[in-house]
Structures are given as C-alpha cells and as structure tokens.
C-alpha cells in the first residue's frame, strides 16, 4: 500500500506521516519543497519510501509512473501565509497545483484527502460549509475557497457520485508538534511559549472589532485531533464531502495564553495561575492591534461540526487547556 503525502515536511503533513508510521505504514511518497531546508527536521523520526520535490512531482504524476500504485493522497502542501501579497504565487501554489493533482486522483480513482481552511469564511459569524457563508478576507483564503469551488463544480455537489473518495477539511486554528518552521505563521501557543521562555511574559493583541483585550475568540484545534479526523476518513473511504475541522467551540486568546504559561509553570514545578494573577505580575500584557491586520483579521471563529458529526466522526476534541498541556512538554524537549 503506497500513500502520497504532499507538504510532508510541513506541519500537518509530517504529523500525518508519523501517524501512518504508527500504523506500520512505511511505503509513503513524501512530497515537499525544501527551499526552507529546516523543514527536513520534521521527517527525521519518520519512515518514508521516497522523497520527491514539489516542482518535480506533477511531472512524475503526469508521466504515468504512479498509475495504479497509490492507495490514497493526503494533499497538505500549500502556502499558508495569510499575509502573503503575491497573489500569482498563491494561486499557482494553492489553486493550480492542487487542481492538477485533484484531476489526476479522479482519473486514477485514488482517494483524495486535502487541506482547505476556515479562512474561506472571512469575517462572518457563521461557519457552515455552504456558499452563502464563504467570503475570504485575503488571497490565501481566496485560493482555498476557489479550489473548494472547483471541487464542487467537478463533482456537481454530489460527492457520492465521484469515482473515489474526495474529502476536504477546513482547518481552523491548528496548533501542536512540528510547527516550528512556520515562523510568524506558527500558532499562538508556539509564540506564547517562545515569548515566555525568552522574557517571562506573553503578549496579546489589545481589544479590537468589539472585543476586549485578549478576548478575540478562535476555534483552536490540536494537530492530534486533525490527524485523527484524517485517519478516520482514510478508514472510511465511502465518506466524501467538504468538512469543517475544528473543535466546535471557540476560546479566547487569553485562554490560550493562560494554558501556555501554566504548562510552562508545570514544567518548572510551579502551581498554575489565573489570568488575573498573570496580569497582576505582568506575565500577560496587551499590545496595540496592528493596523496591517485591520479588516483582514478573523476575530471570531467556531466550526459548525454538524456535517462532520453526520459523517460519523464521534470522538471528542481536546480543549485548549488539554491540547496545550500535551504540546508544551514536547516543544520544551526540542
């Protein structure tokens, strides 16, 4: 059994590779762009059968070398920088490339599980997988939205009639192991950890868009849960569609900050503290909301999980407190 994982050296892709390894699967074609070479570290403890550069991969696909040999494609590769201003690069990378791989998967009747994004919803307050709620705020969100639209057009919204499984996952705010290479686009838990270790304090955005200091809310989802959902669909190839992948609950940035600091305190053998206590000691402080993000920022996200639950996924999702408590010890050990 051979699996393709694009973005294999990236955040979610490398976690999927590791999870496949845990099932005893080693026959994995890892596809990525290692122009940012540090990403290789995410695959050091993983087992793969082959590595193919992203720029060469479509040629391999189109040559027919892989025909009949692939059991599933996990398409996680993308430019995920929401502040990227080169729209041509974003569309070529996230839309055109994805479309070519998708068409090949359909022709070969290969299950195609791919990464979409909650960025397709923009600044709306309803996060349901329906066209009327989709209005991205940046070109990253637009590239993901347009590919979802292309998928819908190709199957006529009747995913069950497709020749093989097609499952798109609208990832909300994912955090967890193997995200260090993302730099400024890494999760707030990662940045809060780095700030606390460097200066003994964490910095959050002050109030904006009607929200008080640090009270903007996001659906923070652990990469552990993201992987579990992907593998559930791998195990159930008869289920197709586009699905939100979050926890179904929103939590504040204050919650994420407190969870991160308390996980750090636990490593130091110290008791947890409340937000009020952390504010009083200056461990949590607020900075002005950046002008560059105004009008381009999601102050609230919360996945509607109705479709995912209807598809049969019944497991509970980790809270921020649970997920960060798992993540910080791993991060500290690195």
């Amino acid at each position: 059994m051979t699996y393709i994982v694009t973005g294999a050296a990236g955040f979610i892709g490398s976690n999927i590779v590791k999870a496949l390894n845990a099932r005893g699967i080693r026959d994995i074609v890892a596809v990525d762009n290692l122009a940012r070479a540090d990403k290789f570290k995410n695959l050091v403890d993983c087992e793969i059968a082959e590595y193919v550069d992203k720029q060469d991969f479509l040629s391999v696909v189109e040559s027919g070398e892989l025909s009949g040999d692939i059991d599933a494609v996990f398409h996680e590769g993308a430019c995920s920088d929401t502040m990227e201003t080169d729209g041509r690069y974003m569309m070529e990378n996230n839309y055109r490339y994805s479309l070519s791989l998708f068409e090949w998967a359909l022709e070969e009747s290969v299950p195609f599980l791919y990464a979409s994004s909650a960025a397709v919803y923009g600044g709306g307050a309803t996060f349901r997988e329906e066209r009327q709620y989709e209005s991205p705020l940046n070109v990253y969100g637009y590239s993901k939205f347009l590919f979802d639209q292309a998928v819908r057009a190709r199957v006529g919204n009747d995913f069950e009639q497709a020749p093989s499984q097609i499952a798109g996952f609208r990832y909300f705010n994912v955090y967890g192991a193997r995200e260090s290479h993302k730099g400024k686009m890494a999760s707030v838990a990662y940045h809060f950890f780095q700030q606390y270790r460097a200066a003994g304090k964490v910095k959050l955005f002050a109030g904006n868009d009607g929200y008080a200091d640090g009270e903007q809310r996001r659906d923070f989802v652990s990469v552990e849960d993201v992987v579990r959902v992907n593998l559930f669909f791998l195990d159930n190839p008869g289920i197709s569609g586009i699905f939100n992948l979050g926890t179904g609950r929103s939590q504040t940035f204050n919650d994420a900050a407190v969870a991160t600091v308390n996980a750090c305190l636990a490593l130091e053998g110290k008791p947890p503290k409340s937000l009020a206590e952390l504010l009083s000691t200056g461990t949590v402080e607020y900075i002005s909301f950046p002008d560059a993000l105004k009008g381009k920022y999601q102050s609230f996200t919360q996945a509607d999980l109705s479709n995912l639950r209807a598809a049969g996924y019944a497991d509970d999702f980790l809270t921020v407190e649970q997920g960060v408590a798992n993540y910080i010890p791993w991060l500290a050990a690195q």
Side-chain angles (χ1 to χ4, degrees):
M1 300 177 72
T2 301
Y3 297 87
I4 293 171
V5 181
T6 72
F11 176 28
I12 296 173
S14 61
N15 278 284
I16 288 175
V17 171
K18 189 65 176 175
L20 292 173
N21 286 172
R23 291 184 167 199
I25 297 169
R26 304 290 187 270
D27 195 0
I28 300 168
V29 178
V31 181
D32 212 314
N33 172 8
L34 286 182
R36 298 181 65 180
D38 281 355
K39 288 196 299 183
F40 85 89
K41 296 175 183 177
N42 282 337
L43 292 176
V44 167
D45 63 342
C46 298
E47 304 296 330
I48 63 173
E50 180 64 277
Y51 172 84
V52 182
D53 186 85
K54 176 205 165 191
Q55 297 301 321
D56 300 326
F57 182 61
L58 284 185
S59 296
V60 172
V61 166
E62 291 163 359
S63 72
E65 292 179 40
L66 299 176
S67 296
D69 293 335
I70 305 303
D71 293 274
V73 174
F74 292 92
H75 181 41
E76 307 300 319
C79 173
S80 59
D81 187 347
T82 58
M83 298 302 290
E84 174 62 58
T85 58
D86 186 342
R88 293 178 64 184
Y89 167 75
M90 187 71 77
M91 297 305 292
E92 179 63 31
N93 195 64
N94 290 4
Y95 175 68
R96 284 291 170 194
Y97 189 94
S98 298
L99 195 57
S100 296
L101 188 55
F102 170 60
E103 292 287 356
W104 171 81
L106 285 181
E107 290 171 8
E108 295 291 324
S109 297
V110 173
F112 186 75
L113 293 80
Y114 74 92
S116 184
S117 172
V120 303
Y121 297 114
T126 301
F127 301 88
R128 193 177 304 149
E129 305 93 328
E130 298 175 16
R131 175 64 183 91
Q132 63 265 37
Y133 304 116
E134 299 162 4
S135 184
L137 293 172
N138 50 50
V139 71
Y140 165 72
Y142 181 70
S143 70
K144 291 295 190 177
F145 160 78
L146 198 62
F147 182 65
D148 280 351
Q149 287 291 82
V151 169
R152 286 166 167 163
R154 182 65 174 78
V155 300
N157 278 323
D158 190 356
F159 284 81
E160 302 306 320
Q161 299 303 310
S164 57
Q165 181 184 40
I166 305 164
F169 303 113
R170 289 183 171 172
Y171 298 143
F172 279 65
N173 285 76
V174 188
Y175 63 91
R178 305 173 195 267
E179 65 168 319
S180 303
H181 66 282
K182 291 173 68 69
K184 66 181 180 180
M185 298 310 299
S187 72
V188 293
Y190 173 83
H191 287 296
F192 290 159
F193 170 80
Q194 299 297 341
Q195 291 170 10
Y196 181 79
R197 292 293 287 258
K201 65 172 63 177
V202 299
K203 298 179 180 180
L204 291 74
F205 289 152
N208 181 66
D209 200 24
Y211 291 83
D213 294 347
E215 288 295 301
Q216 297 92 339
R217 306 182 69 91
R218 293 282 183 88
D219 192 330
F220 297 105
V221 59
S222 170
V223 73
E224 299 171 67
D225 284 321
V226 167
V227 170
R228 290 188 189 105
V229 172
N230 272 271
L231 294 187
F232 169 82
F233 277 81
L234 179 66
D235 294 338
N236 292 275
I239 305 174
S240 292
I242 295 173
F243 302 92
N244 287 333
L245 209 174
T247 66
R249 73 177 74 85
S250 68
Q251 292 191 248
T252 68
F253 283 80
N254 282 325
D255 289 340
V258 171
T260 304
V261 173
N262 281 336
C264 291
L265 290 174
L267 292 177
E268 299 168 4
K270 299 176 181 178
K273 295 183 178 180
S274 67
L275 176 61
E277 290 172 316
L278 295 176
L279 286 171
S280 68
T281 59
T283 307
V284 169
E285 67 178 44
Y286 302 109
I287 60 174
S288 298
F289 192 89
D291 289 338
L293 291 180
K294 291 180 178 178
K296 301 178 182 179
Y297 189 80
Q298 289 176 301
S299 294
F300 171 82
T301 64
Q302 181 172 293
D304 183 326
L305 298 185
S306 299
N307 288 346
L308 184 66
R309 295 307 192 191
Y313 189 79
D315 290 358
D316 292 332
F317 288 87
L318 298 172
T319 64
V320 164
E321 291 75 16
Q322 293 168 328
V324 169
N326 291 345
Y327 176 33
I328 296 304
W330 182 92
L331 193 55
Q334 304 308 302

